[in-house]
């Protein structure tokens, strides 16, 4: 139990809550059993027969069960036939657990665990039996739901005496808060969640347990915010008529109202004497880079330096190119022809030549370079700054917390921090996950950007749709535009970079599409050049190419010398080619919702409309197709991130999700429980303001220590 379900102590077991409850009278519907998942069903045996094979040597028991909504076959083989044969007589009602598979086009459970539900006698007994709520626990093959229930029953003791077993529990909620909110005590909540008499019991228990999770987490984040506010930082106020003023005067367009508003929030933070911690969210193309650049220029004006951390070399080079182009002679400070109030903008990546690298490091340490753009090469010990004032992190979800922390430690005092993401996060998720960051949102696209039309292409059901997709790409090229074809894999061996299938769900047996390996850049490019795109200029781009080769392909694509770029997800973030209008995503079901949204943001960046075609072999009724349909139906990233979260749950908001450990949130759902989270945040802020060390709240302190074991405490410290 410890290994498979991460349950090590009695406390862990008591906080392993039922996922749902079955009423014995209310049978779980057999008609909508999910394929390939571990399920527990309550049903009645309709029929049981033993078949022999291999000349009578082998025996197979087939049991048909029914719940009125559908029928399901159970099969038992060999020695496993004896027990079910005697216990599963027609008319017997039982709980069955196992993995749903398909045999001969029918769903079945092979060798399910089962537990008969006793012979009812007398109308009252039947009534009580039928309406008793049976807790069904999150289980695994090694530990079935009722085995967990038996373990919990052992801990709770006989019915009616649970309070004694639960007496020594540490209750993190202060009495005043619990009474003020009318919440159950912890022993009452645990008794009612594991042994509810009514549905009202379950609701009351869940209300209380949600508060525990939200409140302890918000106290942790409130303490983080308070600690940050105590840190000293150098205020960075732009000088009048400096670099920023000169830059704004050069701009060929006016900033959107959103960009102006967010810039004001950032400059107000930069002017304070404690470090800014701000999350800047904006759709792909909403102009986050422009806002970040103006913040960096303001810091340079104030005598500091700014560093921008990008997740890939392709992106770092792209940012460097676009920023120097936007700044013009202002990016050539100290050089012949450079503007008087200009500064130097340097690039620092792992693949740079030794001489260029030496010069870049020198420019940073002397303060000659006001702005540096780089990959994690910026974090190495050798890199030193004259006076680092602002760190901008692009695409936060691709950087480990330790990496950001290492860069921040390079300032004489903690630098200000601006974290950017193009994967929009619903407000409550941001409040829970980034509760220590102030959030700014850019929600309007700059004028001149075009809408993107998205369509699902069911290649297996309707092959002519795929043929038409390639025709559409040719039409875009004929009109003077360019296109991308994105594949999940590079194609020479396993362990590919950009392999979207790594994060995908495990394959289901009925979907042959899942049996073959994901489509690969190298193979697809070859098929296209020999087939549907034979007379076009097709090139490949992936993470295993040499940096010079990558840069060369991107440069030629940007210059219009390449018609179609067949690539992995290296193009997902930040690649900006306004003339590219079409994107075909192969095996689109192998990518996550937010990843598809990011990829799609690469087209329609100019004045011509964008087109994104999501190609899949998945059958029409599959969850994968529903997910793709949702992506095609809306361009609103916030809406998509809600869909994504509802499907995936939140992972562990304290960062354990990265290391594959189960979420610390068991009953709290950050999408559904917005009010609880907001109220818990207020209560937590008040308590921490009044008693930062929690000396008056020993139980809360203990609960916090349990939640923030060493690893998580560090995660929050580095947030």
């Amino acid at each position: 139990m410890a290994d498979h379900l991460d349950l090590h102590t009695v406390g862990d077991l008591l906080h392993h809550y039922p996922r749902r409850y079955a009423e014995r009278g209310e049978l779980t519907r057999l008609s909508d059993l999910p394929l390939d998942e571990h399920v527990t069903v309550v049903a009645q045996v309709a029929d049981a027969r033993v078949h022999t094979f291999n000349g009578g040597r082998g025996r197979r028991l087939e049991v048909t069960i029914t719940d009125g909504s559908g029928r399901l076959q159970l099969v038992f083989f060999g020695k496993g036939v004896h027990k079910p044969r005697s216990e599963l007589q027609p008319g017997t009602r039982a709980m069955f657990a196992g993995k749903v598979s398909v045999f001969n086009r029918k769903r079945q459970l092979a060798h399910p665990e089962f537990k008969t539900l006793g012979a009812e006698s007398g109308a009252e007994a039947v009534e009580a039996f039928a309406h008793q709520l049976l807790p069904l626990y999150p289980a695994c093959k090694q530990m079935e739901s009722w085995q967990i229930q038996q373990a919990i029953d052992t801990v709770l003791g006989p019915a009616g005496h649970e309070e004694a077993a639960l007496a020594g529990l540490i209750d993190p909620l202060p009495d005043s808060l619990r009474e003020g909110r009318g919440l159950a005590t912890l022993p009452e909540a645990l008794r009612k969640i594991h042994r509810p008499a009514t549905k009202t019991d379950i609701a009351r228990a869940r209300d209380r347990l949600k508060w525990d999770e939200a409140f302890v987490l918000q106290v942790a984040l409130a303490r983080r915010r308070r600690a940050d506010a105590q840190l000293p930082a150098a205020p960075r106020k732009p000088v009048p008529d400096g670099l920023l003023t000169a830059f704004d005067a050069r701009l060929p367009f006016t900033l959107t109202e959103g960009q102006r508003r967010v810039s004001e929030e950032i400059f107000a933070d930069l002017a304070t004497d404690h470090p800014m911690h701000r999350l800047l969210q904006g759709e792909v193309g909403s102009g986050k880079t422009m806002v970040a650049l103006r913040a960096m220029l303001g810091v340079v004006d104030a005598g500091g330096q700014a560093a921008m951390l990008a997740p890939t070399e392709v992106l770092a080079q792209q940012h460097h190119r676009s920023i120097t182009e936007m700044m013009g002679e202002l990016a050539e400070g100290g050089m012949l022809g450079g503007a008087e109030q200009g500064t130097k903008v340097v690039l620092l990546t792992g693949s740079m030549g030794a001489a260029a690298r030496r010069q870049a490091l020198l420019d940073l340490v002397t303060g000659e370079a006001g702005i540096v753009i780089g990959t994690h090469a910026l974090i190495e010990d050798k890199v030193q700054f004259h006076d680092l004032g602002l760190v901008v992190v692009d695409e936060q979800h691709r950087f480990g917390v330790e990496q950001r922390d290492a860069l921040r430690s390079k300032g004489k005092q903690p630098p200000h921090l601006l974290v950017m993401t193009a994967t929009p996060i619903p407000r409550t998720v941001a409040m829970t996950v980034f509760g220590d960051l102030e959030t700014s949102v850019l929600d309007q696209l700059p004028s001149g950007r075009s809408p993107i039309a998205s369509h699902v292409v069911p290649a297996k059901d309707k092959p002519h749709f795929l043929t038409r997709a390639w025709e559409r790409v040719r039409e875009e090229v004929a009109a003077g535009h360019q296109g991308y074809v994105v594949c999940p894999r590079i194609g020479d061996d396993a362990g590919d970079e950009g392999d979207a299938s790594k994060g995908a769900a495990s394959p289901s047996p009925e979907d042959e599409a899942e049996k073959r390996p994901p489509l690969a850049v190298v193979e697809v490019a070859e098929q296209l050049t020999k087939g549907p795109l034979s007379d076009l200029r097709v090139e490949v781009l992936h993470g295993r190419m040499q940096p010079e080769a990558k840069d060369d392909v991107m440069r030629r694509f940007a210059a219009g010398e390449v018609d179609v770029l067949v690539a992995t997800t290296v193009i997902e973030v930040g690649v900006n080619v306004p003339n590219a209008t079409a994107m075909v995503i192969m095996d689109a079901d192998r990518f996550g919702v937010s990843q598809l949204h990011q990829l799609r943001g690469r087209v329609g960046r100019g004045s011509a409309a964008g087109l994104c075609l999501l190609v899949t072999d998945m059958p029409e009724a599959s969850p994968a197709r529903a997910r793709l349909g949702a992506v095609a139906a809306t361009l609103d990233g916030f809406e998509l991130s809600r869909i994504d979260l509802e499907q995936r749950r939140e992972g562990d908001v304290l960062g354990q999700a990265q290391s594959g450990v189960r979420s610390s949130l068991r009953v709290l759902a950050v999408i559904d429980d917005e009010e609880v989270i907001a109220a818990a945040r207020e209560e937590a802020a008040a308590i921490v303001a009044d008693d930062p060390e929690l000396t008056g709240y020993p139980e809360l302190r203990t609960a916090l220590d349990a939640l923030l074991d060493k690893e998580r405490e560090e995660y929050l410290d580095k947030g």
Side-chain angles (χ1 to χ4, degrees):
M1 201 192 296
D3 293 344
H4 296 291
L5 291 169
D6 196 25
L7 303 177
H8 302 272
T9 65
V10 167
D12 290 341
L13 189 61
L14 287 172
H15 290 290
H16 187 74
Y17 309 131
R19 183 173 57 230
R20 58 192 177 87
Y21 300 83
E23 282 185 75
R24 283 177 171 149
E26 171 197 279
L27 297 176
T28 308
R29 291 176 62 80
L30 292 179
S31 55
D32 24 278
L33 280 182
L35 253 185
D36 232 33
E37 281 191 26
H38 235 72
V39 297
T40 304
V41 296
V42 182
Q44 193 161 7
V45 177
D47 182 46
R49 296 166 189 223
V50 174
H51 301 270
T52 57
F53 54 93
N54 273 358
R57 289 196 300 279
R59 292 193 306 159
R60 179 175 80 245
L61 172 65
E62 288 180 5
V63 178
T64 306
I65 59 172
T66 176
D67 68 350
S69 77
R71 295 165 84 82
L72 181 67
Q73 188 135 58
L74 317 176
V75 288
F76 302 88
F77 293 98
K79 295 195 173 99
V81 164
H82 305 305
K83 184 172 182 275
R85 187 181 183 186
S86 61
E87 294 186 21
L88 298 179
Q89 298 296 323
T92 306
R93 189 170 284 188
M95 283 211 282
F96 302 92
K99 202 169 189 182
V100 184
S101 57
V102 166
F103 181 70
N104 273 348
R105 306 179 87 166
K106 284 188 183 161
R107 290 167 195 245
Q108 66 167 30
L109 295 182
H111 281 281
E113 298 281 334
F114 66 91
K115 183 182 181 189
T116 56
L117 292 174
E120 306 93 327
S121 53
E124 283 168 24
V126 170
E127 193 60 24
F129 181 88
H131 288 103
Q132 187 190 339
L133 292 161
L134 303 171
L136 298 175
Y137 291 89
C140 63
K141 194 173 177 183
Q142 292 78 4
M143 195 74 186
E144 295 298 352
S145 173
W146 51 80
Q147 291 169 299
I148 296 168
Q149 189 187 345
Q150 282 166 351
I152 288 170
D153 280 345
T154 307
V155 173
L156 291 177
H161 296 81
E162 295 91 350
E163 305 293 328
L166 299 171
L169 285 173
I170 289 167
D171 188 339
L173 288 196
D175 288 347
S176 56
L177 187 160
R178 185 178 56 71
E179 287 157 13
R181 298 265 171 190
L183 298 166
T185 63
L186 189 55
E188 182 196 345
L190 288 171
R191 176 173 58 77
K192 286 183 170 171
I193 198 127
H194 292 297
R195 290 179 173 171
T198 62
K199 288 183 177 169
T200 313
D201 279 357
I202 299 169
R204 183 159 168 75
R206 289 178 70 85
D207 286 348
R208 159 61 213 245
L209 296 168
K210 279 178 185 178
W211 256 93
D212 283 13
E213 290 178 7
F215 177 69
V216 176
L217 180 59
Q218 291 298 346
V219 166
L221 292 169
R223 293 183 74 205
R224 271 277 291 124
R225 285 195 298 278
R226 190 178 184 284
D228 281 340
Q230 312 292 315
L231 289 172
R236 310 282 179 171
K237 295 179 185 168
V239 293
D241 299 325
L243 184 54
L244 181 59
T245 313
F247 175 74
D248 284 349
R250 279 182 56 93
L251 283 180
F253 51 83
T254 52
L255 297 175
T256 64
E257 191 206 329
Q259 285 174 317
R260 276 201 299 275
R261 185 193 71 245
V262 170
S263 286
E264 278 164 24
E265 291 171 353
I266 291 171
F267 284 120
D269 281 0
L270 290 172
T272 61
D273 55 8
H274 57 85
M276 162 171 85
H277 279 97
R278 192 166 279 281
L279 173 70
L280 172 57
Q281 318 191 50
E283 285 288 3
V284 167
S286 58
K288 293 184 300 298
T289 311
M290 173 60 70
V291 169
L293 175 56
R294 292 185 74 248
M296 294 198 287
L297 295 174
V299 168
V300 174
D301 264 351
Q305 290 169 294
M308 183 185 244
L309 196 55
T312 63
E313 289 208 357
V314 167
L315 190 51
Q317 286 158 348
Q318 178 112 15
H319 274 319
H320 181 255
R321 205 164 29 233
S322 63
I323 283 173
T324 48
E325 277 167 15
M326 279 195 278
M327 287 175 65
E329 73 271 16
L330 296 174
E332 295 165 2
M335 293 187 246
L336 206 60
E340 187 189 338
Q341 71 270 66
T343 187
K344 222 172 184 186
V345 180
V346 300
L347 175 69
L348 192 64
T349 64
S351 67
M352 281 170 78
R357 188 182 174 74
R358 243 193 328 272
Q359 184 60 52
L361 291 174
L362 189 65
D363 288 341
L364 286 179
V365 79
T366 58
E368 187 85 7
I371 294 177
V372 58
I373 295 147
T375 54
H376 46 260
L378 274 178
I379 298 166
E380 292 167 13
D381 295 342
K382 288 200 270 300
V383 181
Q384 289 179 355
F385 290 85
H386 176 64
D387 180 15
L388 180 60
L390 170 66
V391 173
V392 178
V393 179
D394 190 19
E395 285 310 316
Q396 184 276 335
H397 65 283
R398 289 170 167 244
F399 277 102
V401 173
E402 292 77 10
Q403 293 168 308
R404 277 183 285 157
D405 193 45
L407 189 52
R408 276 170 53 189
S409 68
K410 290 183 179 290
K412 290 172 183 163
Q413 290 181 305
H416 299 281
L417 175 70
L418 180 64
V419 170
M420 301 198 295
T421 177
T423 309
I425 308 165
R427 192 179 67 86
T428 35
V429 184
M431 220 161 73
T432 313
V433 182
F434 298 107
D436 56 325
L437 295 178
E438 298 301 321
T439 305
S440 298
V441 178
L442 277 174
D443 46 14
Q444 56 186 134
L445 290 180
S447 57
R449 291 300 294 270
S450 306
I452 305 168
S454 306
H455 304 284
V456 178
V457 177
K460 201 164 188 191
D461 306 352
K462 300 175 178 169
H464 60 285
F465 275 39
L466 184 58
T467 310
R468 176 71 190 124
W470 300 126
E471 281 171 14
R472 283 293 291 114
V473 172
R474 298 175 65 86
E475 286 163 16
E476 290 298 312
V477 172
H481 300 302
Q482 293 159 279
Y484 298 98
V485 177
V486 182
C487 306
R489 206 162 59 88
I490 296 172
D492 41 12
D493 59 2
D496 278 349
E497 154 277 332
D499 187 344
S501 61
K502 282 181 194 151
S506 58
S508 70
E510 70 170 358
D511 298 325
E512 285 165 23
E514 284 282 19
K515 284 182 186 164
R516 63 167 173 72
L519 290 170
V521 168
V522 181
E523 293 146 21
V524 169
E526 193 181 338
Q527 287 162 11
L528 292 175
T529 46
K530 287 180 178 165
L533 307 182
S534 57
D535 52 340
L536 301 184
R537 296 168 300 176
V538 178
E539 295 265 359
V540 300
L541 178 72
H542 56 72
R544 263 211 235 114
M545 289 162 63
Q546 288 301 317
E548 304 80 56
K550 263 193 285 198
D551 207 36
D552 178 56
V553 171
M554 270 319 300
R555 191 186 50 69
R556 287 188 295 115
F557 186 63
E561 295 163 21
V562 173
D563 296 322
V564 177
L565 193 60
V566 183
T568 56
T569 53
V570 290
I571 63 149
E572 175 186 356
V573 194
V575 171
N576 184 20
V577 179
N579 191 44
T581 53
M583 176 176 285
V584 181
I585 303 180
M586 307 303 290
D587 277 345
D589 47 272
R590 313 251 182 162
F591 298 90
V593 169
S594 57
Q595 214 177 12
L596 291 169
H597 183 57
Q598 285 265 32
L599 285 165
R600 168 171 66 183
R602 302 294 119 224
V603 294
R605 298 179 75 86
S607 51
L611 171 70
C612 178
L613 302 174
L614 306 167
V615 179
T616 177
D617 281 356
M618 287 292 129
E620 197 163 354
S622 62
R625 274 285 280 280
R627 210 170 64 229
L628 294 180
V631 174
T634 178
L635 289 172
D636 180 342
F638 285 88
E639 178 55 33
L640 286 172
S641 65
R642 283 184 95 92
I643 292 166
D644 202 16
L645 271 168
E646 278 157 9
Q647 290 189 336
R648 283 185 307 135
R649 290 282 298 178
E650 299 79 33
D652 192 329
V653 297
L654 291 183
Q656 287 274 42
Q658 280 97 325
S659 53
V661 180
R662 241 165 29 106
S663 170
S664 63
L665 296 188
R666 295 186 169 95
V667 279
L668 190 73
V670 292
I671 291 284
D672 301 333
D673 297 319
E674 289 188 54
E675 281 128 30
V676 176
I677 290 167
R681 187 179 171 119
E682 271 172 44
E683 296 272 12
I687 280 179
V688 170
D690 183 47
D691 181 359
E693 293 307 310
L694 306 177
T695 30
Y697 304 96
E699 284 99 342
L700 175 56
R701 180 77 247 199
T702 308
L704 206 57
D705 291 343
L707 176 75
L708 302 178
D709 54 32
K710 190 84 192 88
E711 193 178 339
R712 287 181 175 164
E713 182 76 85
E714 282 172 6
Y715 177 84
L716 282 182
D717 273 348
K718 291 168 183 168

